[in-house]
Amino acid sequence: MLFRNAARTTTGTGDRADARRSFRTGLHTGALAVVVATALVSCTQASSGGGPDGDVPAASADPAADRAPIAENAESADDADRAERDAAAGEPTAEPTPGPALVRDAFATLQATLGETCTPGAGDCAYFLGRVTRELTELDEAMRADGKGPGHFRQPLADMKALFDKVGDDRSEAHLEKHFSAIVGTRDGVNAWMQGHPDDYR
């Protein structure tokens, strides 16, 4: 009787041990299957471009290939800047200085003074004598630059040079009054010469 109970007890314990071993084996097999399945899914996503990073473009194997478009864009910008600088450099930065007036235009402004005069010592000669001297200077420049050449205007150029040598660079009223007769006389003489050469002022 005791032997049968012991045998029954031993048999029950062995069955439970076998059941536990079978359970553990099943767990190990299931875990292994899960690991294998996960690995297969990862490989499939990597090969098909899926997965959480599927939309992110893969980095180029050659870094120089990635830098090439950037370098081309930088060169294009540099070329555009250089072209803009060259264009700006080709533009004039200042208005050109006009050349001497035409003889007829310079003479016309001198003629406008024919009806004017002043009284030396009365304090009204600064503007008048200054203007006549300036008009004679501009007419001298126009005659020297004219296409006919200074030889064509020999007489008026000689008269104006004599006046300029006498007056010098002093344009004060008192100094110009000292040369009142020379200034007005030169103006009238140049006017008389020009009236005899209508082609030069008409």
Side-chain angles (χ1 to χ4, degrees), residues 62-199:
D62 184 6
D66 293 334
R67 290 194 298 269
I70 298 174
E72 290 176 0
N73 292 338
E75 289 177 2
S76 298
D78 290 343
D79 291 342
D81 291 343
R82 190 177 302 110
E84 186 176 348
R85 288 194 300 270
D86 292 343
E91 296 177 357
T93 56
E95 290 293 330
T97 303
L102 296 175
V103 170
R104 68 183 182 202
D105 295 337
F107 178 60
T109 56
L110 178 66
Q111 275 187 309
T113 68
L114 290 176
E116 299 179 14
T117 188
C118 70
T119 303
D124 61 348
C125 284
Y127 170 76
F128 169 69
L129 294 178
R131 179 182 175 189
V132 172
T133 303
R134 183 176 65 255
E135 300 295 351
L136 288 170
T137 300
E138 292 177 357
L139 180 59
D140 178 87
E141 293 173 352
M143 287 179 172
R144 293 181 186 281
D146 189 82
K148 294 179 180 180
H152 176 74
F153 303 99
R154 183 176 290 108
Q155 183 61 50
L157 286 175
D159 292 345
M160 288 186 284
K161 182 179 183 307
L163 173 66
F164 299 148
D165 289 344
K166 186 181 297 184
V167 174
D169 295 330
D170 189 349
R171 293 295 183 269
S172 65
E173 182 178 12
H175 182 71
L176 293 177
E177 284 181 349
K178 290 179 184 178
H179 303 287
F180 175 86
S181 297
I183 293 172
V184 173
T186 301
R187 178 199 65 180
D188 294 343
V190 169
N191 177 65
W193 188 92
M194 290 293 291
Q195 294 297 335
H197 298 77
D199 291 343

